């Protein structure tokens, strides 16, 4: 029996980068971490937000106490980033233009500041959720959108419109979640898919 592509094992989860890394604020009172939309992985604030995307920034007290609500969230330079909305301890930060600015947050009666960086992505690629390389013909696969600048991964999510496949008839993009690219594989054989250019190779196998 061939392994199913979409089975994301516990070992795969543990080996993916960005697991539980927090950044402590300047005053040492609050900690901050970027999280993905599924709340599975975290990145420290050493990572930059991709301009034109929105990043989920989680706030917590430095002593480990949870934050139920952020009372104040202010960005010093609103030309670089802005707070799109808040949800409890989560701030949704939109990257507007490349640069660095500071964020002031008050929560749980504590105040702290942290530096945010926004960078322009120079490459957008598709990456798998698991580590298998085969898919079944007629099946669909949700793929992550990965943005990088100078080879360094960026945080933040935004829908992408582009999709290419080589051979063109071997795969197609179908309607799916905004944070993913959902691909249907239509022909047996090797296929490469991507956003602006092919970036991920797949071996499409028959169901039998």
């Amino acid at each position: 029996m061939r392994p199913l592509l979409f089975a994301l094992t516990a070992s795969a989860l543990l080996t993916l980068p960005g697991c539980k890394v927090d950044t402590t604020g300047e005053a040492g009172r609050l900690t901050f971490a970027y999280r993905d939309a599924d709340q599975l992985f975290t990145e420290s604030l050493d990572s930059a937000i991709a301009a034109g995307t929105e990043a989920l920034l989680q706030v917590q007290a430095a002593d480990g106490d949870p934050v139920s609500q952020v009372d104040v969230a202010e960005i010093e330079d609103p030309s670089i980033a802005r707070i799109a909305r808040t949800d409890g301890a989560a701030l949704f930060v939109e990257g507007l233009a490349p640069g660095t600015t500071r964020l002031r947050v008050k929560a749980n009666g504590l105040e702290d500041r942290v530096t945010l960086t926004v960078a322009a992505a120079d490459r957008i690629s598709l990456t798998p959720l698991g580590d298998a390389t085969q898919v079944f013909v007629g099946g669909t696969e949700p793929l992550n959108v990965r943005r990088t600048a100078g080879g360094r991964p960026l945080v933040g999510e935004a829908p992408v419109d582009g999709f290419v496949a080589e051979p063109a008839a071997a795969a197609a993009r179908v309607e799916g979640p905004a944070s993913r690219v959902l691909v249907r594989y239509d022909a047996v054989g090797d296929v490469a898919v991507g956003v602006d250019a092919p970036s991920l190779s797949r071996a499409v196998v028959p169901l039998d």
Side-chain angles (χ1 to χ4, degrees), residues 147-173:
R147 295 170 172 85
T148 57
R152 295 190 61 183
L154 304 176
V155 299
E157 297 183 355
V160 294
D161 296 324
F163 178 77
V164 295
E166 292 184 359
R173 182 175 179 177

Side-chain angles (χ1 to χ4, degrees), residues 49-53 75-82 93-102 116-119:
I49 303 172
T53 71
I75 290 180
E76 288 184 359
D77 189 342
S79 69
I80 292 174
R82 74 179 187 94
V93 183
E94 182 182 0
L96 300 177
T100 299
T101 186
R102 293 168 80 218
L116 304 179
T117 302
V118 178

Side-chain angles (χ1 to χ4, degrees), residues 45-72:
L45 270 64
D46 291 337
S47 299
I49 303 172
T53 71
E54 191 174 279
L56 191 164
L57 180 60
Q58 195 80 25
V59 181
Q60 185 174 325
D63 60 7
D65 285 347
V67 168
S68 59
Q69 182 66 45
V70 172
D71 300 313
V72 176

Side-chain angles (χ1 to χ4, degrees), residues 13-161:
L13 285 171
L14 292 173
T15 54
L16 284 173
C19 294
K20 199 61 182 173
V21 179
D22 295 334
T23 297
T24 303
E26 296 172 4
R29 301 187 182 103
L30 298 171
T31 63
F32 305 83
Y34 293 121
R35 296 186 184 273
D36 73 341
D38 297 321
Q39 297 282 311
L40 291 175
F41 310 112
T42 64
E43 291 286 352
S44 74
L45 270 64
D46 291 337
S47 299
I49 303 172
T53 71
E54 191 174 279
L56 191 164
L57 180 60
Q58 195 80 25
V59 181
Q60 185 174 325
D63 60 7
D65 285 347
V67 168
S68 59
Q69 182 66 45
V70 172
D71 300 313
V72 176
E74 297 176 345
I75 290 180
E76 288 184 359
D77 189 342
S79 69
I80 292 174
R82 74 179 187 94
I83 304 298
R85 63 188 188 281
T86 64
D87 183 8
L91 304 176
F92 292 85
V93 183
E94 182 182 0
L96 300 177
T100 299
T101 186
R102 293 168 80 218
L103 167 68
R104 181 175 77 93
V105 171
K106 291 183 69 175
N108 284 21
L110 306 171
E111 180 173 341
D112 218 330
R113 288 173 169 80
V114 72
T115 299
L116 304 179
T117 302
V118 178
D122 54 29
R123 187 169 188 263
I124 302 176
S125 57
L126 299 178
T127 61
L129 275 65
D131 55 4
T133 59
Q134 290 184 339
V135 293
F136 293 126
V137 66
T140 58
E141 177 187 19
L143 298 173
N144 288 320
V145 178
R146 184 174 186 263
R147 295 170 172 85
T148 57
R152 295 190 61 183
L154 304 176
V155 299
E157 297 183 355
V160 294
D161 296 324

Side-chain angles (χ1 to χ4, degrees), residues 1-7 131-137 188-190 202-208:
M1 183 176 179
R2 297 180 187 274
L4 185 62
L5 173 66
F6 314 127
D131 55 4
T133 59
Q134 290 184 339
V135 293
F136 293 126
V137 66
V188 173
D190 293 333
R202 285 286 180 253
V204 185
V205 299
L207 290 170
D208 295 336

